[in-house]
Amino acid sequence: MIVRFHIDPAPGSGFEYRVTYEGEDLYSDAGLDSIEACIVAATEGLGQDAVAAEVAYCSIISGTYPLASLALVSAQIAQHAEQTTEAVAEVLPQASSR
């Protein structure tokens, strides 16, 4: 199964995440100090049925990654998620004004 990590800034400070499968919440946590910490924590909670995860930061999906990649290059995946969300945010106002 391919799950989705929903990562968002937490109210107040830090970050929170939810792990879902086909729209149903599996588990979540809040108060983590970075996007990478969310990815690591979310990956650690996965069962053996999961083979990959979509990573979404602020509702923008940055990619789908096999579990081995999530564990080995979580810092790069976190950076990519943040950069992807920033890039989409830059063009969203332009797209809606057309």
Side-chain angles (χ1 to χ4, degrees), residues 57-60 84-98:
Y57 178 57
C58 296
S59 300
I60 305 296
T84 299
T85 298
E86 288 173 1
V88 170
E90 287 178 9
V91 297
L92 266 177
Q94 296 170 3
S96 64
S97 66
R98 290 183 186 170

Side-chain angles (χ1 to χ4, degrees), residues 49-96:
D49 291 340
V51 296
E54 295 177 337
V55 175
Y57 178 57
C58 296
S59 300
I60 305 296
I61 298 172
S62 60
T64 304
Y65 305 93
L67 290 186
S69 294
L70 289 165
L72 294 174
V73 291
S74 57
Q76 291 89 339
I77 293 170
Q79 182 179 30
H80 182 255
E82 189 170 24
Q83 290 172 342
T84 299
T85 298
E86 288 173 1
V88 170
E90 287 178 9
V91 297
L92 266 177
Q94 296 170 3
S96 64

Side-chain angles (χ1 to χ4, degrees), residues 3 5 7 17-19 27 32 37-46:
V3 297
F5 297 171
I7 303 170
Y17 73 88
R18 289 182 306 118
V19 177
Y27 55 95
L32 290 99
C38 290
I39 292 170
V40 170
T43 302
E44 289 174 352
L46 290 174

